Amino acid sequence: MAEEADWNALQRDLWRVVLTTEHRLGESAADHLGRILAALRANGYQLDAASTAQIEAYLNSVSGMVKTALDQVLTPLASATLAPAMRSEFIANATRETFTRRWPDGLTLSNRIWDWQQETRAGITKTLNQAIHAGEAVNRIVYDLQYAAEAITSERFAIIGKQQEDWASQLADTGRALIRNQTTREAWAENVRAVQQHIKTLQVTGTRTAANHTLNKIVEAVQQGRTELIDNAMKWWIYDRQLYQLKRIARTELANAHHRGIIEASKDNDFIIGYHWRLSPSHSQPDICDYYADIELGLGAGVWPKDKVPEKKAHPHCMCALIPRTRKIARQGAKSYADFLEALPAGQRNKILPQWAQGLHRLGMPLTDLSHPDGTLVTREELAGKIGKERLDAAISLGKAVEQRDWGTVKIRAGRADVEEMRRIVREHPEDPDLMALSLPLETIPEGGRGLVSVDSGAWHYARRRYIDGETGLTRQRDLDLKYESILGDRSATVYVQRSGQAVRYCVHSGDNVAFLESNGRRVSSFQLHPGSDPAEIGEKLCKISDLLG
């Protein structure tokens, strides 16, 4: 029956179940959140038996909803691919496997739900305590503000009508006091009792009524502030953060159950030669799925033989479709992950490669050394084990220098002869747009003045090499970048290390040129060595660039 199944329709069924489940999870979270907050409010925001029971009711409802969703995912699949007598056993086995199958991190779905429940319990307690403390700190602010008002007006429970600037200053002070001080609920109650006792000493015909009114308003404001803080904090934790985690678990496991179900339901069907990994319409960012949908294993682009098809989704949230195929696809795919990456436009490839790997590739490391055949990228630890950590650090720094083209700034001491020389160059060559980066900073100090001035390092070295050193071949600052990159592109160039305490920078020597860079890849300088210069004086010799690239 499998060859007659409408696999596209089954994929749409999966989507409908996923979206319906996420909606139900949201409704359930909102409903339980209301009950949890009501129970907390009834007991002064203390976790008691009633509120704990409401929390447990929410947590216990989750497994049942996930099991129901699994049944809704697997039933259409079984109906479309299996004889009636086989369907119940298929669904039961697939459901059991979904809850017990271990992922590479060692966790099963049961583990994940249990972990989510534990995290939710702990998070609710922590968030509740934090919100209560924040509310109590609000209480402290209210009283500090009142005492500040009394200090300004010399009246108890006075209404501020003047000296607004002093009031603002006191408000700022109490805001800082909030950071330093957090009182307790008992201290808050004691403060209220103390104020109530003070009010009793006031004249009934005098200020007692106004004082009582003021105290009641303060208490009401504090209570409302605390309630709002706690309610919002709980909503954020349960509904926003933990609901997202739960939806992530459910979506991934439902899609994974569907994925494995397709394989199990069709693996014995002789008409099926393999499985086509088809990208989801919601797939917006390139990742490993792009490779899975393009791989060439003899059946055409993205078609996996039965014995090689991945048994689980490529990553969390993956909603790509696995479609059984009865014939080859004409278009050929990539033979390896490196070939796949090489064929991508640079912009897409850089969305997959981490930045450090982008730099290494630009420096000359082949993509075969940056990726595994199975569609995963090598880690920095793996590369360090291959070429050594010190060499890898140097390679990454050089790669960043090639990739980022960041010269940063250099501080030049005013009054130096070369500063005055640079002023002259800028004035004499107004036609050179690359000197404009030097013009404004040099004009900020008077001629012969003192102090430091920060200038663009790239523009400074370009101007120096072209107009002071008289180096040929430089007609714009970009030419300096090209020369710098040609030094780093020379695989026979020698890398030197300069150390100063914990700080490290590198120098690359190629022919009669050197290029200096910081460990973060920022370009420092580049110039020609004087005849007779000893490169060994540059620093500690590390290796050639070719040795950095494996």
Side-chain angles (χ1 to χ4, degrees), residues 75-125:
T75 297
L77 182 57
S79 299
T81 59
L82 299 172
M86 303 171 60
R87 293 171 188 173
S88 297
E89 183 179 1
F90 168 80
I91 294 173
N93 289 339
T95 300
R96 181 172 57 255
E97 185 182 9
T98 297
F99 273 87
T100 59
R101 184 183 181 93
R102 292 191 180 277
W103 285 75
D105 59 7
L107 295 179
T108 65
L109 173 57
S110 295
N111 295 145
R112 292 187 196 285
I113 292 178
W114 188 86
D115 285 348
W116 173 83
Q117 290 175 337
Q118 295 301 106
E119 182 182 353
T120 302
R121 289 187 185 95
I124 287 174
T125 303

Side-chain angles (χ1 to χ4, degrees), residues 407 457-458 460-466 469 471 474 479-488 505-508 510 512-517 523-529:
W407 284 89
S457 181
W460 177 271
H461 285 92
Y462 156 71
R464 183 177 184 84
R465 290 184 65 166
R466 178 178 180 182
D469 297 342
E471 185 173 335
L474 290 179
D479 295 330
L480 177 62
D481 281 314
L482 293 174
K483 286 198 171 189
Y484 191 102
E485 287 155 22
S486 71
I487 297 172
L488 270 58
R505 76 174 185 172
Y506 301 98
C507 176
V508 182
S510 171
D512 60 352
N513 287 286
V514 291
F516 289 85
L517 60 141
R523 302 179 180 187
V524 176
S525 63
S526 176
F527 51 84
Q528 291 179 318
L529 290 175

Side-chain angles (χ1 to χ4, degrees), residues 134-146:
E136 290 163 352
V138 169
N139 306 346
R140 176 63 179 267
I141 279 187
V142 172
Y143 276 95
D144 283 349
L145 292 178
Q146 183 59 44

Side-chain angles (χ1 to χ4, degrees), residues 213-234:
H213 177 76
T214 303
L215 174 62
N216 291 335
K217 287 296 182 184
I218 291 174
V219 171
E220 180 183 351
V222 169
Q223 289 175 340
Q224 290 176 349
R226 186 190 63 195
T227 299
E228 182 180 356
L229 283 169
I230 296 176
D231 288 2
N232 286 341
M234 296 291 284

Side-chain angles (χ1 to χ4, degrees), residues 324-401:
R325 300 289 303 186
T326 57
R327 61 179 63 88
K328 293 182 179 182
I329 289 180
R331 186 178 73 83
Q332 296 292 298
K335 297 287 187 181
S336 69
Y337 194 42
D339 290 341
F340 166 73
L341 292 174
E342 192 69 59
L344 288 177
Q348 281 190 299
R349 183 168 59 244
N350 287 346
K351 290 180 179 179
I352 296 176
L353 289 175
Q355 193 170 51
W356 63 268
Q358 296 173 31
L360 290 181
H361 182 52
R362 285 285 299 274
L363 187 64
M365 184 171 286
L367 289 170
T368 51
D369 290 346
L370 291 169
S371 60
H372 298 299
D374 65 356
T376 57
L377 299 173
V378 299
T379 64
R380 293 175 68 148
E381 290 74 18
E382 287 178 294
L383 280 179
K386 180 180 179 182
I387 66 175
K389 183 179 184 305
E390 186 178 38
R391 292 187 177 188
L392 177 61
D393 289 343
I396 290 175
S397 297
L398 268 63
K400 287 180 179 178

Side-chain angles (χ1 to χ4, degrees), residues 39-224:
L40 286 169
R41 292 193 199 103
N43 197 38
Y45 288 98
Q46 297 294 314
L47 281 171
D48 63 348
S51 54
T52 302
Q54 292 296 337
I55 293 171
E56 292 302 317
Y58 171 49
L59 300 178
N60 292 335
S61 69
V62 168
S63 293
M65 295 182 69
V66 173
K67 286 182 179 178
T68 298
L70 276 171
D71 184 79
Q72 293 172 340
V73 163
L74 295 170
T75 297
L77 182 57
S79 299
T81 59
L82 299 172
M86 303 171 60
R87 293 171 188 173
S88 297
E89 183 179 1
F90 168 80
I91 294 173
N93 289 339
T95 300
R96 181 172 57 255
E97 185 182 9
T98 297
F99 273 87
T100 59
R101 184 183 181 93
R102 292 191 180 277
W103 285 75
D105 59 7
L107 295 179
T108 65
L109 173 57
S110 295
N111 295 145
R112 292 187 196 285
I113 292 178
W114 188 86
D115 285 348
W116 173 83
Q117 290 175 337
Q118 295 301 106
E119 182 182 353
T120 302
R121 289 187 185 95
I124 287 174
T125 303
K126 182 179 179 180
T127 303
L128 182 61
N129 290 335
Q130 287 176 338
I132 288 173
H133 281 307
E136 290 163 352
V138 169
N139 306 346
R140 176 63 179 267
I141 279 187
V142 172
Y143 276 95
D144 283 349
L145 292 178
Q146 183 59 44
Y147 296 147
E150 294 163 5
I152 292 173
T153 63
S154 298
E155 297 179 18
R156 300 287 296 177
F157 298 101
I159 298 176
I160 303 303
K162 55 184 178 178
Q163 300 186 6
Q164 295 296 320
E165 292 182 1
D166 289 341
W167 174 250
S169 175
Q170 293 288 349
L171 177 60
D173 289 343
T174 17
R176 286 187 285 272
L178 167 62
I179 299 174
R180 295 193 300 270
N181 300 297
Q182 284 194 336
T183 186
T184 64
R185 292 175 66 84
E186 292 74 17
W188 154 247
E190 181 60 34
N191 283 339
V192 172
R193 285 193 294 270
V195 174
Q196 288 171 336
Q197 289 298 321
H198 170 75
I199 290 175
K200 290 179 180 179
T201 67
L202 301 178
Q203 294 292 327
V204 176
T205 57
T207 57
R208 182 185 294 185
T209 301
N212 260 321
H213 177 76
T214 303
L215 174 62
N216 291 335
K217 287 296 182 184
I218 291 174
V219 171
E220 180 183 351
V222 169
Q223 289 175 340
Q224 290 176 349

